[in-house]
Amino acid sequence: MMVILGIVIGAVGGFFLARRYMVKYFEENPPINEEMLRSMMMQMGQKPSERKVKQIMASMKAQSTKKKK
């Protein structure tokens, strides 16, 4: 019985530790950076201005912080 309880506690603890690590990793290394955004805009036929790129990046950052709350 203690072995099964230990396995369950380890699995739950491991899940939450891995989740916390991944959230921290994605905060420090966002999956989309400005250069990727510019290339995506050019592929869609838009001419990326610096102002537009900064505006989109700011909205993405605001949306990700809003999800945390």
Side-chain angles (χ1 to χ4, degrees), residues 28-66:
E28 294 172 357
N29 305 307
I32 296 180
N33 59 17
E34 291 180 10
E35 196 60 39
M36 293 169 94
L37 188 59
R38 281 188 191 92
S39 67
M40 287 184 348
M41 289 176 74
M42 290 185 75
Q43 288 175 355
M44 291 187 299
Q46 297 180 10
K47 194 169 189 180
S49 66
E50 191 65 27
R51 179 175 164 242
K52 184 72 171 174
V53 171
K54 295 287 185 188
Q55 182 182 16
I56 293 172
M57 289 299 292
S59 70
M60 288 172 53
K61 186 174 183 177
Q63 197 171 33
S64 71
T65 56
K66 188 167 67 169

Side-chain angles (χ1 to χ4, degrees), residues 8-21:
V8 170
I9 291 173
V12 171
F15 170 76
F16 285 110
L17 285 174
R19 182 180 181 279
R20 188 170 72 186
Y21 171 78

Side-chain angles (χ1 to χ4, degrees), residues 2-13:
M2 295 295 277
V3 173
I4 294 172
L5 184 63
I7 291 172
V8 170
I9 291 173
V12 171

